[in-house]
Amino acid sequence: MKNKIKKSEDKWKKNLTPEEFLVIRKKGTEPPFIGKYVHHTKQGTYVCAGCGNILFSSEAKFDSGTGWPSFFTPFLADAVDLKPDSSHGMKRTEVLCKRCGGHLGHVFADGPAPTGLRYCINSVSLRFIEKKD
Ligand code: FE
């Protein structure tokens, strides 16, 4: 990907809300069921709250019942990076924004067709842009 974003953590701290900083830069997790996009069903795109990179389409969003916004595929394969994560005594795969390296959530192999994947993403890491037609 072109135009990767690199900023000091101090700069990120200034550019993000404390809540965003904790999740996006410190790999925190928002509590389940309270995120602003958990039950959000409008048509549009979800971009990175850190850098605006287009991450997910509403067309790939589904209700996983887990309490976090869930998608079966990223907008483009090139939008995200995947990284093994063994923190908190679990073997998981972390999902990061490919442009700014921000933490988005994790991906699991229990999603619906056609991919069988569940990208479990923090609302805090996302910003919604409504489709205007
Ligand atoms: Fe980003």
Side-chain angles (χ1 to χ4, degrees):
M1 156 165 296
K2 286 182 233 163
N3 308 320
K4 282 216 180 195
I5 291 175
K6 277 222 178 291
K7 277 194 229 182
S8 69
E9 291 304 291
D10 272 0
K11 200 131 198 215
W12 278 118
K13 208 166 210 171
K14 274 182 207 142
N15 293 166
L16 299 172
T17 67
E19 198 186 24
E20 287 169 348
F21 185 75
L22 202 68
V23 172
I24 297 171
R25 302 311 306 179
K26 296 295 175 196
K27 306 187 188 300
T29 301
E30 71 192 15
F33 298 105
I34 61 141
K36 61 187 171 199
Y37 297 133
V38 178
H39 300 295
H40 191 256
T41 56
K42 286 187 178 163
Q43 296 297 301
T45 49
Y46 293 85
V47 305
C48 176
C51 75
N53 185 24
I54 298 176
L55 297 173
F56 299 99
S57 163
S58 59
E59 287 172 28
K61 193 173 188 291
F62 67 99
D63 183 2
S64 65
T66 60
W68 290 280
S70 301
F71 304 86
F72 58 76
T73 186
F75 184 70
L76 295 170
D78 197 36
V80 299
D81 262 333
L82 303 179
K83 202 171 114 187
D85 173 16
S86 55
S87 64
H88 305 288
M90 292 176 270
K91 281 212 185 311
R92 296 181 292 175
T93 302
E94 183 185 4
V95 185
L96 303 114
C97 171
K98 194 152 193 167
R99 186 190 278 162
C100 73
H103 174 77
L104 305 174
H106 292 87
V107 60
F108 301 92
D110 58 6
T115 62
L117 298 174
R118 170 172 59 96
Y119 288 79
C120 185
I121 305 299
N122 290 281
S123 295
V124 168
S125 300
L126 301 173
R127 197 154 290 150
F128 181 71
I129 299 175
E130 194 166 358
K131 186 181 174 188
K132 304 253 192 279
D133 38 18

